[in-house]
Amino acid sequence: MSQKSTGQSTARKPAGVVADLSSCRYGVVHHAALSLGWRVADEGSEDWDVQWLDKNVIAQRVLRLAPWQRINHFVGMDAVSSKPNLVRTLRRLPPGQEVSPQAWLLPGEASAFAAALRSNPLKGGKTFIVKPEAECQGRGIFLARRPEDVPRGKLEGGSFVAQQYVERPLLLGGHKFDLRVYVLVTSAAPLRVFLFDDGLVRLCASPYRKPHSSNLATATVHLTNFAINRHAEAPAAEAADGTAGSAAGAHAAGAAAFTG
């Protein structure tokens, strides 16, 4: 969490944590603050200890902090917290140390991406996944192998990230999954990270199938977003790797908790 380091007095304000939640729209944060016995500051008040922001913080804001005040972001977090900026950051890795598939930033690199689609062979070619920059919960995501797979007008008037799709993902019970692991970073230099014991496994409701024209639009096969899979039924069909297509009903819900 960000704090200011200046020559100001380090005298602390009276005991009792006051939280500024005026820029937070998430009810769970308000609930957590109240459950800890914190007092919520009046909107516009600068008399607070902790400020929770839903968006990134700029350096000028951190420089105005009192010595005892904390914000839930580091300056520069947007280098990895937005899809386009994450691509730009990963591109700075030295040759041979790449950790992610090839990506294109649209619309700036639309011509290069269109060329990749046109040159992609019909049989045995690559699959690409396209995500809008400003959306979440799986909204606006689509898969494509050829130019005709891109919905008409879909890429107009917006910012997107296109990336080569990983066609052989690690599977859980024959289903695609991802892990939500929660950490608290209290210092960047030196790096200090606390790992929360509990996490979340997000699963696709449908058994995984290698991308094909027949399933490119089947979101419950390729996208693990809970908002997409929560209402889908867990199929009993055998998965692509021969394992059962249902894992104790967890796929129907789209997510399952785990404890470290």
Side-chain angles (χ1 to χ4, degrees):
M1 300 177 74
S2 294
Q3 71 177 96
K4 182 177 68 172
S5 178
T6 70
Q8 294 185 11
S9 170
T10 58
R12 289 190 55 84
K13 61 188 293 296
V17 178
V18 179
D20 177 13
L21 307 180
S22 58
S23 296
C24 174
R25 67 182 186 276
Y26 298 107
V28 65
V29 177
H30 291 253
H31 176 76
L34 294 176
S35 67
L36 290 170
W38 295 3
R39 181 169 64 84
V40 177
D42 296 331
E43 187 169 353
S45 172
E46 289 295 324
D47 182 23
W48 49 264
D49 303 282
V50 176
Q51 184 180 57
W52 190 283
L53 304 174
D54 291 346
K55 297 183 179 180
N56 294 309
V57 63
I58 60 176
Q60 289 83 347
R61 182 70 186 93
V62 174
L63 292 174
R64 295 198 303 268
L65 293 180
W68 60 81
Q69 291 180 320
R70 302 291 185 272
I71 295 181
N72 66 314
H73 288 288
F74 287 103
V75 174
M77 280 183 60
D78 58 335
V80 295
S81 62
S82 79
K83 299 181 186 77
N85 285 348
L86 178 58
V87 170
R88 296 184 182 100
T89 299
L90 292 173
R91 284 177 174 176
R92 294 202 293 267
L93 291 173
Q97 297 185 19
E98 297 85 355
V99 295
S100 64
Q102 184 178 6
W104 296 262
L105 300 178
L106 311 178
E109 299 169 357
S111 296
F113 178 56
L117 288 173
R118 289 193 300 269
S119 63
N120 198 35
L122 290 174
K123 187 174 182 179
K126 301 174 182 178
T127 302
F128 305 93
I129 184 169
V130 184
K131 299 183 178 183
E133 173 186 0
E135 287 289 0
C136 60
Q137 298 182 336
R139 290 190 292 264
I141 298 176
F142 65 91
L143 271 62
R145 295 174 62 85
R146 299 287 298 168
E148 55 268 26
D149 296 328
V150 179
R152 183 181 299 274
K154 183 72 173 182
L155 300 180
E156 296 177 0
S159 176
F160 296 80
V161 170
Q163 192 170 39
Q164 184 178 335
Y165 184 68
V166 178
E167 297 190 8
R168 297 182 61 189
L170 184 64
L171 302 178
L172 179 62
H175 295 245
K176 272 191 69 174
F177 73 99
D178 66 25
L179 301 179
R180 281 286 176 95
V181 179
Y182 300 94
V183 300
L184 171 65
V185 182
T186 60
S187 173
L191 183 62
R192 187 178 298 114
V193 182
F194 294 86
L195 174 65
F196 189 55
D197 287 339
D198 297 340
L200 189 68
V201 183
R202 301 192 308 173
L203 305 110
C204 285
S206 302
Y208 181 71
R209 293 288 188 273
K210 188 175 180 179
H212 184 270
S213 58
S214 63
N215 66 36
L216 285 182
T218 307
T220 55
V221 170
H222 301 291
L223 305 182
T224 58
N225 303 78
F226 181 63
I228 289 176
N229 292 281
R230 62 186 301 181
H231 297 303
E233 294 185 1
E238 188 176 88
D241 63 355
T243 59
S246 177
H251 302 119
F258 69 86
T259 301

